[in-house]
Each structure stands twice: as C-alpha cells, then as structure tokens.
Amino acid sequence: MHISAKFDGGNIKVIDAEDERNIALEIVKDHQSDFYQWFHFKLANARPTEHVLNIVNAGNSAYADGWPGYRAVASYDRVYWFRVPTEFDGEKLIISFTPEYDSVYFAYFAPYSYERHQDFLHRAQLEANCQLQVLGETLDGREISVLKIGQAGEGKRVVWLTARQHPGETMAEWFMEGFIDRLIDKADGVARSLLDHAVFYLVPNMNPDGSVRGHLRTNAAGVNLNREWADPSMAKSPEVYLVRKKMLEVGVDLHLDVHGDESIPVNFVDGCEGIPSYDQRQKTLEDNFKALLLAITPEFQDQRGYDKDAPGTADLSIATNWVGERFKCLALTIEMPFKDHDELPDDRMGWSDQRSRVLGRDFLTAIRHVVGKLR
Ligand code: GEM
Ligand code: ZN
C-alpha cells in the first residue's frame, strides 16, 4: 500500500500506514497559517480488503463542527467522485472503504485542478464575445485571470462573479464552470438576451496558489483573502489588490462571491445588511433576487444561513461587504455545502461538482430577471 499527496491540490501527511485496517493520517495546515480542513490524497497498490483510514487531527481542524454528518468523496478515474462511508468520533475522521481497483483518490470535495482551470479559461476565450485578461501575478507567480464576456455600453450593467478566494471550496469553481458554459452558449436565449443588458467580469479562481498548494482557506502567504478587501496589498494579497483595482476601473452593478460552507447542509446566500449605507433599495434587491432563486430551483433555500449582521456592524474586509458599500450595489456571498443540500438530498453523491455546475446555470436565470433593476 502507498499513500501520497504530492500532486496539484494534494494534502495529507502519512503517520502510520503499516496496517490497512488502522491507517493514521493528518491534514497539513495551510502554509504560514493554522487553518486546515481540505484533504486530497491517493491510495495505491490497494488490496481488495477493507481499509480504515483515520484522519487523526480532524477534531482540531478549522471547522470541526463540519465533520458530523459529512462523508468523504472518492474516485478511481479522477472524474466521477462518489461518497464513501465516513464517521467522526469527535477526534478522528474515519473513512472505511474496500477498493475495487488498485488505486483510489480521496478528497474533502471533488477537486478542481489547475490544469482544468487553464483548460477552461482557454476554451472560453475562443468565444467571440470573450476576452481572457491577466491582471497580474500571485505570490507564487501564477496568473490572476479574469474572463470578460460581452461588451460595455450605454445603459448596460457591469456584473462581477468571483470564486474560490478559499481554495479548498472547490465547489465554487465548479459553479463558475456551469455559469460560464451557459453564458457563452450561443443557443441559449437567456444568456444571449442577458449579454444585451450586461458585461461580465468573471474570476473562476481568486486563489490559484492556495488551490495548487492544497490549502483550505489562505494564499501562499497564509493570508485569508476574504479578510483583505478593506486594505489589500501586493505584498500580502495581490489577488484581491488586482481584482479590486479592476473593479474600481470598470465599476460594479452586481457582485456574487462564490464559496463553500463546511457545516450548514444547504445552499444559501449571505447579504451585506450590516454595511453603513445599507438601505431599502439594497434590501429589496436582495429579497427579489432570493425570491427568484426560490422560484427557479429547489436547490436553493432562504431559511438557513449565516446570522445577519446588525446595522453598521459589517466587516468591510469581507468581499461582498466592501463591494456593496463601495459601489452601493447588490452584493451577495453564495454558499454551497461540503455535505449535501438537505432540502433535496442525494444519498449517493451528496452535494457534488455536477450539482454545483447546474446551480451556476440557474443563477444566470436569476441575474437575467434582475439585470434591468440593478440601478
Ligand atoms: C464567509 S463570508 C462571511 C460571512 N459572515 C458574515 N458575518 N456575513 C467567510 O469568509 O468567512 C465565506 C466563506 O468562508 O465561505
Ligand atoms: Zn469561503
């Protein structure tokens, strides 16, 4: 038996792998950070007997309350990811699995590789209406890329989607793949009509360094990008600095920031009700957008989510709070679960890459219905 994580997005440390029925593993912290929860590793030379894989430091991970009810995902071909028997005893996350093939991958959620990210950006750029722009470099020297889709124009709105500030939240980039695939689909009337009313700036991966490094929540310097929006710097958070600079150049009429949540087993959005300038107009925009999503798909709900910020108490270092305040626009954080959307559970898959892509497509419909009322 051989266990490794030396690959794009890999994260595990082998403590003891002598006995396949009692394997001891640890998740490695984000570099220069105490955050850890994302795991992604490969078991090779596996015999067709039950393997018990114990992640022995799960109890002290960043969001340990996310482990009860969670099931790990596994894949033989790195394309199809399925849930496997998993339990949490308060300290260890215990994965019990009998491999059918020699080699099997395990992860916290379906991984989204840097190569797939590059493939997707370069496939999208082939569309006539799409420009692939590099805003600058991350601390490890990777590109911060934005897809500009559509053209600016008189009366047209500027819509921004950003995703994966937190690299372990890979569902965010799956969501973006679904959204962008639909937006560039020339056979899709909703998308074509939407592009008559708006130009889109889309950042499928805000944190490529953290993604490749197998981080949960931070960039190469151990910085949580979603706490940098009030005062980003090229030294600590070039990812935020460069995107925010572009936003200030072209403006923002709607911003969606796409994330995943470790604990709450539903899809939801989080508004910016605590920002100083929040008013009835912004509340109406939020309420209408959520009502549309509820009408469009049962994969969305608005009963469960984060506690609301009291008036004037919003943390303006958080992306959608800073954008909502700076641009007086509709700005929402989208949250998808690492577990399942319990309003419409799928026992085999839980929440998945495919369902994230479909949800991205459904958000495009909601944007189509509000784009004329954003200002
Ligand atoms: C969340 S967004 C923060 C939401 N909190 C409040 N008070 N509205 C984060 O960055 O912690 C997004 C995420 O990590 O998924
Ligand atoms: Zn997040």
Side-chain angles (χ1 to χ4, degrees):
M1 164 176 56
H2 182 258
I3 294 175
S4 69
K6 291 292 184 192
F7 44 75
D8 175 356
N11 185 323
I12 210 69
K13 179 183 175 187
V14 178
I15 304 302
D16 182 346
E18 288 306 310
D19 173 2
E20 62 202 15
R21 291 193 49 75
N22 189 20
I23 299 165
L25 306 169
E26 281 186 351
I27 302 173
V28 179
K29 289 180 179 178
D30 289 11
H31 182 60
Q32 294 179 349
S33 164
D34 286 330
F35 286 116
Y36 70 88
Q37 192 126 351
W38 169 262
F39 62 88
H40 179 198
F41 61 92
K42 171 182 175 182
L43 167 65
N45 305 340
R47 294 186 321 122
T49 60
E50 185 180 50
H51 288 61
V52 179
L53 302 108
N54 301 288
I55 299 181
V56 298
N57 66 343
N60 290 313
S61 67
Y63 303 97
D65 62 351
W67 296 128
Y70 163 78
R71 291 180 294 158
V73 294
S75 180
Y76 293 115
D77 63 3
R78 310 196 319 164
V79 174
Y80 173 65
W81 292 84
F82 51 92
R83 298 283 174 168
V84 294
T86 307
E87 59 182 276
F88 178 61
D89 68 3
E91 181 193 346
K92 303 189 298 300
L93 189 73
I94 305 156
I95 301 167
S96 306
F97 187 69
T98 302
E100 293 178 51
Y101 299 92
D102 301 325
S103 180
V104 56
Y105 283 79
F106 295 93
Y108 188 25
F109 197 84
Y112 197 105
S113 72
Y114 187 64
E115 284 308 301
R116 185 181 184 108
H117 169 75
Q118 291 297 345
D119 288 347
F120 183 69
L121 291 177
H122 291 83
R123 173 162 61 85
Q125 75 156 349
L126 301 179
E127 298 296 326
N129 225 357
C130 183
Q131 291 178 11
L132 173 54
Q133 300 175 357
V134 174
L135 302 179
E137 281 189 2
T138 64
L139 296 174
D140 282 346
R142 294 187 179 86
E143 296 166 342
I144 288 293
S145 303
V146 59
L147 285 170
K148 177 188 175 188
I149 301 180
Q151 304 299 326
E154 183 63 32
K156 290 179 78 172
R157 299 302 175 213
V158 182
V159 178
W160 280 83
L161 273 73
T162 53
R164 219 174 161 182
Q165 288 195 81
H166 297 140
E169 298 164 9
T170 56
M171 59 285 282
E173 193 157 10
W174 289 113
F175 175 104
M176 292 296 283
E177 185 174 298
F179 184 92
I180 295 168
D181 265 340
R182 186 174 183 194
L183 188 59
I184 61 177
D185 182 352
K186 293 290 180 290
D188 189 306
V190 173
R192 286 175 52 231
S193 161
L194 187 46
L195 288 168
D196 288 339
H197 295 85
V199 58
F200 288 80
Y201 289 86
L202 308 166
V203 184
N205 190 335
M206 281 286 297
N207 194 342
D209 292 355
S211 301
V212 171
R213 284 169 172 263
H215 283 184
L216 170 73
R217 199 157 173 87
T218 65
N219 71 357
V223 173
N224 177 356
L225 297 182
N226 207 26
R227 297 300 184 272
E228 285 292 305
W229 284 75
D231 185 25
S233 71
M234 286 301 289
K236 279 179 58 185
S237 48
E239 302 89 348
V240 173
Y241 184 89
L242 292 163
V243 169
R244 187 178 177 275
K245 178 167 176 281
K246 188 70 177 179
M247 285 178 165
L248 290 165
E249 281 173 26
V250 302
V252 187
D253 295 313
L254 165 60
H255 177 212
L256 302 176
D257 185 40
V258 195
H259 288 256
D261 185 87
E262 292 80 4
S263 308
I264 305 173
V266 287
N267 291 305
F268 62 96
V269 296
D270 186 57
C272 49
E273 67 284 336
I275 63 175
S277 66
Y278 194 73
D279 59 11
Q280 187 56 47
R281 182 184 71 88
Q282 277 180 298
K283 183 179 186 318
T284 303
L285 282 170
E286 285 186 13
D287 292 347
N288 288 348
F289 195 72
K290 289 189 285 190
L292 278 163
L293 288 168
L294 289 169
I296 289 165
T297 176
E299 298 274 47
F300 178 79
Q301 60 76 55
D302 189 34
Q303 295 307 305
R304 301 170 69 178
Y306 295 143
D307 293 340
K308 298 302 177 199
D309 291 334
T313 67
D315 179 346
L316 297 182
S317 70
I318 292 171
T320 47
N321 287 337
W322 182 83
V323 171
E325 179 64 17
R326 174 59 182 75
F327 295 98
K328 306 294 184 286
C329 67
L330 178 58
L332 298 169
T333 300
I334 299 171
E335 295 288 348
M336 291 172 279
F338 279 95
K339 299 177 188 178
D340 197 353
H341 179 64
D342 281 358
E343 307 282 309
L344 196 64
D346 178 330
D347 186 53
R348 185 174 50 87
M349 302 292 287
W351 191 250
S352 69
D353 49 344
Q354 298 99 314
R355 292 170 77 184
S356 301
R357 280 190 291 200
V358 172
L359 189 65
R361 298 174 65 84
D362 286 340
F363 265 73
L364 189 142
T365 304
I367 295 172
R368 172 66 185 79
H369 288 288
V370 301
V371 71
K373 306 165 195 161
L374 291 174
R375 291 294 181 193

